[in-house]
Amino acid sequence: MSEETSILDRYGVMGHPIAHSRSPVIHKLFAMQTGEQLRYELLDVEAAALEQAIRRFQGSGGRGLNITVPHKQSVCMLCDHLSERANTAGAANTLIFKDNEITGDNTDGIGLLRDLVVNLDLSIEGSDILILGAGGATRGIVGPLLEMSPKAVTIANRTPDRAETLKARFDELGTIKAVGFGDIVDDHTYDLVINATSAGVRGEAPPYPAGALGHNTVCYDLSYGLKPTPFTVWARDRGAARAVMGWGMLVEQAAESFRLWRGIRPETGPVLKQIRVSA
Ligand code: ATR
């Protein structure tokens, strides 16, 4: 390790698998843009080794971590403090190491909202939202979406019990419904349909609910890729008003993490353009 590398503040992203992660590139671009001196590493850690890896990172003077699939829920157990939004979600994607203590936060929801509201100019207030999937990704976004006063948020999941569990968790924050994936009513269209399943990533294509889409429906896939994702292809074929991949959310959640760590929020627009080009 060169002397310059060793004195730079240390950050990273921990998950499994992790090789595909764009986070190192994004944070490098943020650091260049803001003039912050840091290094950001890719850390492939399996579930059984998570605690040890985090303690080692902490012991070596690490300043912050992003946490991704599959550790966002389990990492909460290792935190000394949780932000309100991480606590509500029951999931953390950002860790801050300070004074020998770990604080867990969750920037996924704010990242999605910033992409929807600021970048895509959508209004959430009064809108009827359908979320497909009830896993870790959904946990991070339901609370922040409900805070924007939508008309209702419906969570549809292949395993209906998981949707019910999330409904119970977020019930007091707003109008929330839980249904099975196959029970989505055919003649009810939504303003916004968010794909938070991991189906596309696994190369699977569930029977997405065609009846939920009207010509004004915006479809947003939390997944992203070099090519359009199966969900965005499907949405376009069905005549959705817009079909958007989650590149914007990825960059916005990263910018919020960067702000928590460094106290400065980078400009996301140029970075979003750059990573789309270089992806
Ligand atoms: P993540 O952290 O990415 O959300 P997860 O917690 O494993 O990962 O959740 C994955 C989500 O995608 C779940 O809602 C899962 O549905 P189940 O709860 O029924 O497993 C959903 N999912 C994955 N593959 C799917 C498929 N082929 N069809 C429908 N839903 C699928």
Side-chain angles (χ1 to χ4, degrees):
M1 195 186 297
S2 74
E3 198 178 328
E4 192 191 332
T5 311
S6 66
I7 56 168
L8 292 179
D9 288 343
R10 189 176 175 213
Y11 297 87
V13 57
M14 238 177 229
H16 182 75
I18 197 71
H20 66 282
S21 173
R22 308 298 299 166
S23 293
V25 177
I26 294 171
H27 283 281
K28 191 173 170 199
L29 291 169
F30 286 165
M32 281 163 59
Q33 184 200 104
T34 57
E36 293 287 304
Q37 303 286 316
L38 56 89
R39 65 194 164 111
Y40 189 103
E41 300 158 32
L42 207 55
L43 301 159
D44 193 339
V45 175
E46 288 185 35
L50 182 67
E51 175 163 9
Q52 198 191 12
I54 288 180
R55 300 285 174 218
R56 201 180 314 126
F57 186 87
Q58 181 180 28
S60 74
R63 300 284 295 272
L65 279 177
N66 282 128
I67 300 294
T68 187
V69 176
H71 307 313
K72 288 184 189 181
Q73 281 172 252
S74 53
V75 79
C76 292
M77 306 272 291
L78 305 175
C79 293
D80 300 292
H81 312 280
L82 282 178
S83 69
E84 199 182 326
R85 56 195 180 183
N87 191 37
T88 309
N93 77 332
T94 307
L95 302 185
I96 301 146
F97 298 88
K98 205 177 165 205
D99 302 333
N100 226 13
E101 291 190 323
I102 307 175
T103 300
D105 204 338
N106 194 320
T107 65
D108 283 335
I110 183 77
L112 173 66
L113 282 181
R114 281 194 70 98
D115 197 33
L116 292 175
V117 175
V118 180
N119 300 340
L120 301 171
D121 204 20
L122 298 179
S123 171
I124 302 300
E125 191 179 343
S127 64
D128 203 359
I129 301 173
L130 173 64
I131 302 177
L132 305 173
T138 301
R139 274 174 178 264
I141 63 171
V142 174
L145 280 170
L146 286 171
E147 275 173 26
M148 302 292 285
S149 308
K151 184 172 154 203
V153 170
T154 302
I155 301 176
N157 200 45
R158 178 175 61 181
T159 313
D161 282 0
R162 291 185 84 190
E164 286 292 346
T165 303
L166 287 196
K167 174 178 156 51
R169 187 173 188 99
F170 294 100
D171 231 355
E172 61 192 31
L173 297 180
T175 305
I176 181 161
K177 301 171 195 172
V179 295
F181 216 94
D183 301 324
I184 300 167
V185 188
D186 234 6
D187 56 357
H188 181 102
T189 62
Y190 292 83
D191 300 310
L192 175 62
V193 178
I194 298 172
N195 177 38
T197 74
S198 53
V201 181
R202 294 155 181 261
E204 297 164 0
Y208 293 120
L213 263 62
H215 291 300
N216 294 320
T217 304
V218 173
C219 288
Y220 191 101
D221 198 342
L222 299 193
S223 306
Y224 46 85
L226 284 180
K227 291 187 295 190
T229 56
F231 176 73
T232 55
V233 170
W234 171 84
R236 257 187 228 294
D237 288 349
R238 299 283 157 162
R242 291 165 93 174
V244 184
M245 291 194 282
W247 285 108
M249 172 179 171
L250 175 73
V251 174
E252 296 294 344
Q253 61 80 28
E256 280 301 315
S257 297
F258 194 92
R259 187 183 64 75
L260 289 169
W261 294 328
R262 310 299 297 185
I264 176 170
R265 194 178 201 284
E267 259 189 73
T268 49
V271 174
L272 185 50
K273 267 194 205 132
Q274 247 170 301
I275 62 150
R276 272 196 184 133
V277 170
S278 65

